[in-house]
Amino acid sequence: MSSEDRPMEDIPEGEVIGIENDDEDRYMDIPPTYSVPSTSQVHAPSLNTASTPSEPPPGVTPHVAVPDSDHFPINSSPIGLALVISNIDFDHLDSREDGGYQDYRIFTELLEELNFKIYDKTPTTHSLTGAQMRETITAFARDEEHRFYSCLLVCVMTHGVGESDVYGTLLRCKDSRPESEDGVSVKWLISQMSGNHNPGTVWKPKLFFIQACRIEQPVNLINAFKPKRARSHCGTSIRDFYIVFSTPPGRYSYRKKLQNGSPFIRKTVEVIREMRDHEDLHSMMTEMIKQCSKLLKAPSGRT
């Protein structure tokens, strides 16, 4: 059965990975349905602001660190820079026009409501080639403004392929070719946001939302969403990263036809708007996954 004919209830949606810091070379994962393999350690440097501007941009209330706090203080305004990449038109792959523009619009509207500053220092963040994606991500990661904000966010909406592991996903670019291995890896994307590349991001939440397929293999939704105990692996100095995938490893990610966008983006926006005043991010993302899994049958197209 083709992806166009498969009902929504046959498709799993959503995976959440929370990562905390400790002294060991492992990490803590908090997915509601899936455990996550360990990843390599990245050492955060000492904070050195000698090369960064001393004054915030006009209209910015700078972040104030709170020593010994048991939570991340979000006290800057805007609260952080947000990079949203939306690849819709491709040279060699199918267009993501069905729902792609809608996803970008509603997600950026949500970010503005949350008082994020949408990153606009590159010519465009739409339908980028591989070189443009790497240049845009690198420029964002190294932007000196990060030191004035309390967090950062990256969202990528594109085609994707990958192996059945967390960081095996390859994000496709405008010039990616079918059956090739060209693209930007999620592992590389995440590594660019570490304090190794920008001391202004140290000890601040780094949020990632990835809307992309992770392999072309049909699965059964009931089995995919059977509750499992989340295993905790304490440790890692890949600190303060929270990663939300639209689908687990080895799964399709779906967009709904008729310009309604993807269940992942739509439900993420709806749940955050409804629950942000009384729930934490992980609770909201767990609810988002539950709602995606209960969607009515509908014709869909994979991303």
Side-chain angles (χ1 to χ4, degrees):
M1 183 181 295
S2 72
S3 62
E4 299 293 330
D5 299 326
R6 295 168 65 194
M8 182 66 67
E9 69 175 8
D10 289 339
I11 310 304
E13 284 285 341
E15 182 184 33
V16 179
I17 304 164
I19 302 180
E20 296 183 353
N21 183 62
D22 203 287
D23 295 326
E24 301 177 17
D25 188 18
R26 294 185 297 170
Y27 70 82
M28 182 173 184
D29 65 277
I30 326 173
T33 57
Y34 289 87
S35 60
V36 180
S38 61
T39 186
S40 58
Q41 188 174 21
V42 176
H43 296 279
S46 300
L47 184 62
N48 181 354
T49 60
S51 60
T52 58
S54 58
E55 296 296 329
V60 171
T61 302
H63 172 76
V64 177
V66 181
D68 302 322
S69 174
D70 60 357
H71 65 280
F72 294 115
I74 306 297
N75 52 35
S76 68
S77 181
I79 65 173
L81 289 178
L83 172 63
V84 183
I85 294 175
S86 177
N87 290 338
I88 293 176
D89 299 318
F90 296 82
D91 295 336
H92 311 287
L93 303 173
D94 293 340
S95 171
R96 296 181 62 256
E97 184 173 2
D98 286 328
Y101 293 111
Q102 171 77 349
D103 280 348
Y104 180 85
R105 181 182 65 80
I106 65 174
F107 196 77
T108 53
E109 286 176 353
L110 173 69
L111 295 180
E112 291 172 346
E113 290 175 20
L114 297 174
N115 197 23
F116 277 96
K117 179 181 179 181
I118 307 299
Y119 188 73
D120 61 358
K121 296 183 181 180
T122 54
T124 181
T125 57
H126 295 276
S127 300
L128 303 182
T129 65
Q132 289 172 331
M133 278 188 71
R134 286 183 283 272
E135 290 172 1
T136 298
I137 291 166
T138 300
F140 175 81
R142 288 157 177 72
D143 196 295
E144 294 178 345
E145 278 192 44
H146 284 300
R147 69 171 299 217
F148 299 115
Y149 303 121
S150 298
C151 63
L152 67 85
L153 183 148
V154 177
C155 177
V156 182
M157 311 173 193
T158 189
H159 285 303
V161 294
E163 300 176 355
S164 296
D165 67 75
V166 176
Y167 299 108
T169 305
L170 189 69
L171 302 173
R172 294 303 210 171
C173 314
K174 177 178 172 61
D175 53 352
S176 294
R177 292 181 177 274
E179 309 304 328
S180 71
E181 296 184 358
D182 52 341
V184 174
S185 74
V186 171
K187 183 176 183 179
W188 179 84
L189 165 65
I190 293 169
S191 72
Q192 295 307 298
M193 304 302 155
S194 75
N196 285 347
H197 299 294
N198 189 338
T201 68
V202 173
W203 316 140
K204 296 175 182 178
K206 303 162 187 65
L207 313 178
F208 298 83
F209 293 80
I210 308 297
Q211 163 63 30
C213 284
R214 301 177 74 183
I215 204 171
E216 297 185 2
Q217 178 179 344
V219 295
N220 184 288
L221 179 66
I222 296 176
N223 291 333
F225 276 89
K226 187 177 295 183
K228 300 179 182 179
R229 179 179 300 175
R231 294 181 296 171
S232 294
H233 302 286
C234 295
T236 196
S237 57
I238 300 183
R239 175 182 166 86
D240 313 332
F241 286 63
Y242 195 83
I243 310 158
V244 188
F245 288 95
S246 61
T247 192
R251 304 293 188 259
Y252 286 118
S253 180
Y254 275 62
R255 297 186 319 279
K256 192 174 181 181
K257 294 292 187 180
L258 305 177
Q259 305 299 317
N260 288 328
S262 67
F264 170 65
I265 294 295
R266 189 169 70 254
K267 288 300 180 181
T268 294
V269 170
E270 290 176 2
V271 168
I272 291 178
R273 281 177 172 157
E274 292 171 3
M275 301 174 61
R276 69 191 190 198
D277 292 335
H278 56 275
E279 295 289 351
D280 60 64
L281 177 61
H282 186 70
S283 297
M284 290 188 285
M285 293 300 94
T286 302
E287 175 63 22
M288 176 273 293
I289 289 178
K290 291 178 181 178
Q291 292 193 21
C292 282
S293 69
K294 295 177 181 178
L295 288 177
L296 298 175
K297 294 182 180 180
S300 307
R302 71 176 183 230
T303 62

